[in-house]
Amino acid sequence: MASLSSCWRNEWRLFRRSRWLPVALAILPVMAVIYQFIMVMMEHEHPTGWISLSMHVSLVGMLVFLLFGLTMAWQEQRACCDDVMYALPGSALLLTGGKSIALLAVWGLTSGITIVILSPLTWIQGIPLVLYRDYYLFMLMYWFLPWLICGMMGL
């Protein structure tokens, strides 16, 4: 367990050293808010009409998380630590587990920020409380899970 947490900490350090990736992952929730507010909320009278038309946010998120997974793999190859790590017994599983935990942490952070930002805006828009469960399930199924799957594909 200690070696898995050290692999995760190493991946987290590499993520923080990256220049463009934290910025791209921070822009993703902001882009969702801008898309919701400007392009869709102002044009649709139905309270949930914007979310069915928000596939652009999902596609950009999938691209960003795919690039995030690829970047994690490229950093490992660039440092030539993949040869050393795979030569040690049991290290391939630990390395993959550390990368997966780091991806889950970034995914959870990005998804959480998106929900925190969009929840008050949907309340302001007047979505009935009955629809909130469906709203969050839609976001989980069509935004957040594809982001996670693309991130795992990039690993």
Side-chain angles (χ1 to χ4, degrees):
M1 192 65 169
S3 55
L4 183 63
S5 67
S6 67
C7 286
W8 177 77
R9 282 194 306 262
N10 184 37
E11 292 298 328
W12 191 250
R13 281 189 209 111
L14 289 174
F15 169 72
R16 288 187 313 192
R17 288 181 191 164
S18 176
R19 292 185 182 140
W20 67 271
L21 204 52
V23 173
L25 289 172
I27 288 175
L28 194 57
V30 173
M31 188 189 87
V33 170
I34 290 172
Y35 183 81
Q36 176 194 8
F37 221 62
I38 295 174
M39 296 187 73
V40 181
M41 260 175 73
M42 300 301 176
E43 296 176 6
H44 286 278
E45 294 160 10
H46 192 272
T48 57
W50 72 270
I51 198 161
S52 61
L53 298 174
S54 61
M55 70 169 200
H56 300 49
V57 177
S58 178
L59 291 174
V60 169
M62 289 167 57
L63 178 67
V64 167
F65 273 92
L66 183 66
L67 291 176
F68 175 58
L70 287 172
T71 302
M72 289 172 71
W74 286 337
Q75 286 176 342
E76 178 184 313
Q77 286 180 343
R78 205 172 338 139
C80 297
C81 68
D82 55 341
D83 297 333
V84 175
M85 288 301 290
Y86 289 121
L88 299 172
S91 63
L93 183 63
L94 287 174
L95 192 61
T96 305
K99 286 179 184 291
S100 299
I101 291 172
L103 177 70
L104 280 172
V106 170
W107 174 76
L109 186 66
T110 306
S111 301
I113 290 171
T114 305
I115 286 175
V116 165
I117 291 174
L118 289 180
S119 292
L121 292 176
T122 55
W123 181 75
I124 290 170
Q125 187 186 10
I127 292 180
L129 291 176
V130 177
L131 297 177
Y132 271 87
R133 183 179 149 273
D134 296 335
Y135 169 73
Y136 290 125
L137 285 175
F138 184 91
M139 286 177 59
L140 176 72
M141 190 180 337
Y142 291 105
W143 284 17
F144 304 140
L145 286 179
W147 295 355
L148 180 64
I149 291 169
C150 281
M152 291 291 186
M153 286 172 45
L155 290 179

